[in-house]
Amino acid sequence: MATIYDVARRAQVSAATVSRVLNGRETVDPALAERVLAAVGELGYRRNAVARNLRKQQTSLWAVIISDVENPFFTSMVRGIEDVASAAGCSVVLCNSDENPEKESRYIAVALGEQMAGVIISPSSDRVEDLNLLSSSGCPVVMVDRELKGVRGDAVLVDNENGAEEATAHLVEQGYERIACITGPQRASTATERLRGYRNALEAAGRRANDTLIRMANFRADGGHDAMASLLDEQQPPDAVFVTNNLMTVGALECLVERRLDIPGDVALVGFDEVPWADLVRPSITTVAQPTYEEGRAAAELLARRIAEPDRALTRQILRTSLRVRASSTSHP
Amino acid sequence: MATIYDVARRAQVSAATVSRVLNGRETVDPALAERVLAAVGELGYRRNAVARNLRKQQTSLWAVIISDVENPFFTSMVRGIEDVASAAGCSVVLCNSDENPEKESRYIAVALGEQMAGVIISPSSDRVEDLNLLSSSGCPVVMVDRELKGVRGDAVLVDNENGAEEATAHLVEQGYERIACITGPQRASTATERLRGYRNALEAAGRRANDTLIRMANFRADGGHDAMASLLDEQQPPDAVFVTNNLMTVGALECLVERRLDIPGDVALVGFDEVPWADLVRPSITTVAQPTYEEGRAAAELLARRIAEPDRALTRQILRTSLRVRASSTSHP
DNA sequence: GTGCCACGTCGTAGATGGTTGCCATGGTGC
DNA sequence: GCACCATGGCAACCATCTACGACGTGGCAC
């Protein structure tokens, strides 16, 4: 592997000059610059990023730590991030914490150790210190989808409470009586906010949320499945269910199909998060859609700005959701 | 940020001793080691991975370059890779080439520049040189899902030809007459192999593949949709379609739903690759399932072995697919 | 008892590859 | 002839690892 010294020798200049040419400084004689470029081409020289990072004390790598790489919600967000990053000349490395605080910590340590330029994360633990360690070491943090109070970092969120309220109000309007809610783990801000929206909507309709109709699951398909089963086994099962994320919606749907229940005749269904196949499933599924690509974009733009101006005031962007009414919630037209 | 010298000063030893303790060498007095560890704790010292990588000329990072982060096939594979990597004490960084040769090249350059320990890739271009540059620089390459001839690297594939043959033979058995095929871009080995399997099965049944019933699309949903539309607009449209990847199957399905065609009454459908929602769609979709998690596992294990023994002979593992017959292909029982 | 050798342990110094502040040099303009 | 500017080289620096050598101690042999 050729080094900058090999290039310098071949171009008959010093390594400093090679470095200047490669970094596009103006103070180099064009003739020399050409010799350098020629030598680079002949030797197939590629700059050693590790050495460069060490000297410059930073990289052009962004870490994106998401909690489930198999969830289309996150992968769509990643696309938004990537587009901004490549426009900024940075590369994105994706880390899958898998809702596992241990793995998340490991990836945070990697981002720190590798001196990544910044981190975009949807926290799956509540370890505030880990993230503050990052930001206090000069590695900016942007939270996306979920917020962790006390973390010094920007955030891009959606109006979960409002979205959940709209979804629940829609079920109320459609005449459903016993509306259940399957939400996620308590440590996820999305889970508690969406539950709150659900409660608000019921109260606005003059009803009270019934704890026997509320389940906390793990944001995964199996959790949605089991929660649905447990709801159906209640003495008074629900006639409608609001599920607060897409994978749990899939699980709940599977459970309903297994039991040969009619949707929305026996049980109506509304999910949070859009899924690519929402229109293919029979019946098609009503969802609270999030602007996933936009969330990614916004988070990436915040990161880029913070890298440019580390001392900016912290910002917190809230995007809006939109209810997409489909067949799974409209039996009573 | 504390350095190894700060630790050394505090523990009253030399930096070399700190390094030895941190790397678990035996040749250090236990009392000194304890002092070092105490100093590390008190200072909150974390080793600078960049400097370490520079000195050691390698990292413990694996790059996984996939061609579509929104495809569940790849994300499931990534899980298999991660499990092996973390057992080996390595971290996985995921790079999304998005079927874009430019982006792929950029990520390969990053892997090279950052001196990653190895690369697992599902190539989306046919630039053999890029990959050989990696392997000749001492960064081992493992291809997964797709093979690129001429690349010095291990490979984990599935028996595409056989899987496609089984799928097509199944449609023949079910009595379909005009069986079409929607396959992927020619540069992807998976696309051509699956097309070959399709042809083989037709010939084995004493028929000949009809070029007006074959389409090459882009492995994405829109491509599948347009190819399906174009097939349906033929003077003699097909009564069955074999689609060679999951996203195109979704697109084809959308097209059939739009045109209010009955599946499998008007057109039968068999897809390649399992999708999480295959059982939720009505009718459920017959697929050729791949052992995705196992593919990831196998690729990761090959990489780990090659890092340990760089001079091993190249290997090429072929896994088997399995046909999952569901409702979309069984109108003639 | 003494001298030598071996071995365990630790520090010094150089190496990894690239960047950049500072200074020297040479040329040009006034 | 002097001053200034453009340009390029020297050397320090980033944080860590490790080969080599030094030092001390213990054991063994004479």
Side-chain angles (χ1 to χ4, degrees):
Chain A
M1 206 67 195
T3 75
I4 203 171
Y5 293 100
D6 301 323
V7 176
R9 201 171 317 124
R10 188 170 188 108
Q12 315 236 44
V13 295
S14 78
T17 303
V18 177
S19 172
R20 280 189 273 256
V21 172
L22 263 32
N23 290 298
R25 304 210 177 255
E26 266 96 75
T27 64
V28 177
D29 189 294
L32 281 199
E34 198 162 331
R35 254 162 52 202
V36 168
L37 261 16
V40 165
E42 288 158 20
L43 292 172
Y45 167 77
R46 336 197 105 216
R47 163 162 71 193
N48 182 323
V50 181
R52 174 170 221 251
N53 298 342
L54 176 60
R55 179 59 233 235
K56 300 201 72 164
Q57 300 282 65
Q58 59 153 325
T59 69
S60 59
L61 253 36
W62 293 3
V64 175
I65 307 178
I66 60 179
S67 53
D68 187 357
V69 74
E70 292 192 86
N71 187 334
F73 166 71
F74 288 115
T75 54
S76 160
M77 208 180 65
V78 168
R79 298 286 305 277
I81 296 174
E82 277 180 335
D83 288 350
V84 176
S86 59
C90 293
S91 301
V92 168
V93 298
L94 197 57
C95 310
N96 177 32
S97 75
D98 214 11
E99 297 283 4
N100 179 342
E102 300 287 317
K103 285 177 82 170
E104 185 179 89
S105 279
R106 256 229 324 273
Y107 281 119
I108 290 175
V110 168
L112 196 57
E114 302 279 341
Q115 317 231 85
M116 303 244 180
V119 169
I120 297 177
I121 186 170
S122 70
S124 55
S125 80
D126 46 10
R127 302 194 192 162
V128 176
E129 324 83 58
D130 278 12
L131 288 174
N132 277 335
L133 187 59
L134 270 178
S135 65
S136 60
S137 310
C139 175
V141 173
V142 177
M143 285 167 288
V144 66
D145 181 50
R146 304 179 190 173
E147 189 176 27
L148 219 50
K149 301 278 179 201
V151 171
R152 288 187 300 280
D154 302 298
V156 176
L157 310 164
V158 296
D159 192 342
N160 288 301
E161 199 167 323
N162 186 269
E165 217 169 309
E166 275 181 29
T168 313
H170 163 70
L171 287 170
V172 170
E173 269 169 39
Q174 293 289 315
Y176 292 98
E177 295 289 339
R178 297 181 53 75
I179 304 173
C181 178
I182 301 178
T183 191
Q186 206 147 10
R187 63 185 144 73
S189 61
T190 45
T192 54
E193 287 169 23
R194 290 171 195 174
L195 180 60
R196 198 179 317 134
Y198 160 82
R199 287 183 193 276
N200 291 352
L202 289 185
E203 280 166 24
R207 307 191 194 174
R208 272 190 50 199
N210 179 346
D211 279 351
T212 63
L213 292 181
I214 294 177
R215 294 291 182 280
M216 300 224 172
N218 61 357
F219 269 155
R220 305 190 65 102
D222 61 336
H225 181 281
D226 297 352
M228 188 76 239
S230 136
L231 283 169
L232 293 173
D233 291 339
E234 284 285 331
Q235 289 208 330
Q236 297 197 316
D239 61 354
V241 185
F242 168 53
V243 189
T244 66
N245 101 325
N246 52 3
L247 298 185
M248 293 198 303
T249 305
V250 169
L253 190 55
E254 277 169 351
C255 180
L256 292 171
V257 168
E258 276 169 26
R259 302 210 180 189
R260 306 191 181 287
L261 290 169
D262 182 57
I263 309 168
D266 297 322
V267 183
L269 196 63
V270 176
F272 213 105
D273 300 340
E274 190 73 328
V275 286
W277 61 92
D279 281 315
L280 296 177
V281 180
R282 288 285 160 272
S284 56
I285 303 294
T286 299
T287 61
V288 180
Q290 298 191 50
T292 48
Y293 181 87
E294 277 309 316
E295 284 183 71
R297 254 199 102 72
E301 275 162 4
L302 282 185
L303 181 56
R305 285 199 60 177
R306 180 151 307 283
I307 289 171
E309 315 164 44
D311 298 323
R312 275 182 84 220
L314 290 181
T315 53
R316 192 161 170 277
Q317 268 186 41
I318 312 278
L319 304 178
R320 289 196 67 83
T321 60
S322 59
L323 184 66
R324 304 243 168 104
V325 176
R326 296 197 182 85
S328 71
S329 61
T330 49
S331 65
H332 311 266
Chain B
M1 205 68 193
T3 75
I4 202 171
Y5 291 103
D6 301 322
V7 176
R9 202 171 315 125
R10 188 169 188 108
Q12 314 237 45
V13 295
S14 77
T17 302
V18 177
S19 173
R20 279 188 276 256
V21 171
L22 262 32
N23 290 298
R25 306 215 176 252
E26 321 283 292
T27 65
V28 177
D29 188 296
L32 281 198
E34 198 163 332
R35 257 166 45 207
V36 168
L37 261 15
V40 166
E42 288 158 20
L43 292 171
Y45 166 79
R46 335 197 107 219
R47 162 161 72 194
N48 181 323
V50 181
R52 172 171 226 250
N53 297 342
L54 176 61
R55 180 58 233 240
K56 299 201 71 163
Q57 301 280 61
Q58 58 152 325
T59 69
S60 60
L61 252 37
W62 293 2
V64 175
I65 306 177
I66 60 178
S67 51
D68 187 357
V69 74
E70 292 192 86
N71 188 333
F73 165 72
F74 288 116
T75 54
S76 161
M77 208 180 65
V78 168
R79 299 286 304 277
I81 296 174
E82 277 180 336
D83 288 350
V84 176
S86 59
C90 293
S91 300
V92 168
V93 298
L94 196 57
C95 311
N96 178 31
S97 75
D98 213 12
E99 297 282 6
N100 179 343
E102 300 287 318
K103 286 177 82 171
E104 185 180 88
S105 279
R106 256 228 324 272
Y107 281 119
I108 290 175
V110 168
L112 197 58
E114 302 281 339
Q115 318 234 84
M116 303 244 181
V119 169
I120 297 178
I121 185 169
S122 70
S124 56
S125 79
D126 47 10
R127 300 192 194 164
V128 176
E129 325 82 61
D130 278 12
L131 288 174
N132 277 334
L133 186 61
L134 271 178
S135 66
S136 60
S137 309
C139 174
V141 174
V142 176
M143 284 167 288
V144 67
D145 181 51
R146 304 177 190 175
E147 189 177 27
L148 219 49
K149 301 279 180 200
V151 171
R152 286 187 301 279
D154 303 298
V156 175
L157 310 165
V158 297
D159 193 341
N160 289 301
E161 200 168 323
N162 185 268
E165 217 170 310
E166 275 181 30
T168 312
H170 162 71
L171 287 170
V172 170
E173 269 168 38
Q174 294 289 316
Y176 293 100
E177 295 288 339
R178 297 181 54 76
I179 304 174
C181 178
I182 301 178
T183 192
Q186 205 147 10
R187 64 185 144 72
S189 61
T190 45
T192 54
E193 286 169 23
R194 290 171 195 174
L195 179 60
R196 199 179 317 133
Y198 160 82
R199 288 182 192 277
N200 291 352
L202 289 184
E203 280 166 25
R207 309 190 192 174
R208 272 190 49 199
N210 180 346
D211 280 351
T212 64
L213 292 181
I214 294 177
R215 294 290 182 282
M216 301 224 172
N218 62 356
F219 270 155
R220 304 190 66 103
D222 62 335
H225 181 280
D226 297 350
M228 188 76 238
S230 138
L231 282 170
L232 293 174
D233 292 338
E234 283 284 329
Q235 289 208 333
Q236 296 196 316
D239 61 355
V241 185
F242 168 52
V243 190
T244 66
N245 101 325
N246 51 4
L247 298 185
M248 292 197 305
T249 306
V250 169
L253 190 55
E254 277 168 352
C255 181
L256 292 171
V257 168
E258 275 169 27
R259 301 207 180 191
R260 306 193 181 287
L261 290 169
D262 182 55
I263 309 168
D266 298 322
V267 183
L269 195 62
V270 175
F272 213 104
D273 299 341
E274 189 72 328
V275 285
W277 61 92
D279 282 315
L280 296 177
V281 179
R282 288 287 161 267
S284 56
I285 304 294
T286 299
T287 60
V288 180
Q290 298 191 50
T292 49
Y293 181 87
E294 276 309 316
E295 283 183 72
R297 253 199 103 73
E301 275 163 3
L302 282 184
L303 181 57
R305 286 200 58 178
R306 180 151 307 284
I307 289 171
E309 315 164 45
D311 297 325
R312 275 181 85 220
L314 291 180
T315 54
R316 192 161 171 276
Q317 268 187 42
I318 313 277
L319 304 179
R320 290 196 66 84
T321 60
S322 60
L323 185 66
R324 304 242 168 105
V325 177
R326 297 196 181 87
S328 72
S329 63
T330 50
S331 66
H332 312 267

